[in-house]
Amino acid sequence: MLKIGEFSKLSRVSVRMLRHYDEIGLLKPAETDRFTDYRYYREDQLPTAGRIDSRALRRDDLHDHPPL
């Protein structure tokens, strides 16, 4: 499991955007610590983060797309 900061560096998606993607249901963390609300991601979620980020860079409206 990767902490959100580690996942952010590997995926090149900011922590802020990862939190946003979680809020809108686009990319949910694999686990969230119930006491601290800290988000943890799996390495196999990296390609999904890349696809979402490339959509965002193309200025697609992410709210209109189902979760990947």
Side-chain angles (χ1 to χ4, degrees):
M1 292 295 232
L2 301 167
K3 292 181 181 181
I4 192 170
E6 297 165 330
F7 189 82
S8 171
K9 287 177 185 173
L10 291 172
S11 65
R12 296 185 176 165
V13 177
S14 72
V15 169
R16 181 176 151 267
M17 289 310 298
L18 289 171
R19 289 183 180 133
H20 175 69
Y21 296 156
D22 179 18
E23 287 176 16
I24 65 172
L26 206 53
L27 179 62
K28 294 285 188 182
E31 282 186 35
T32 302
D33 186 292
R34 67 181 207 193
F35 298 109
T36 64
D37 286 330
Y38 211 80
R39 294 164 175 88
Y40 294 91
Y41 294 85
R42 294 183 319 266
E43 287 184 27
D44 65 358
Q45 291 178 287
L46 287 167
T48 302
R51 285 193 301 274
I52 292 169
D53 198 49
S54 68
R55 280 176 158 178
L57 290 174
R58 289 192 320 262
R59 299 182 188 264
D60 283 353
D61 187 355
L62 297 176
H63 296 278
D64 292 339
H65 294 284
L68 296 174

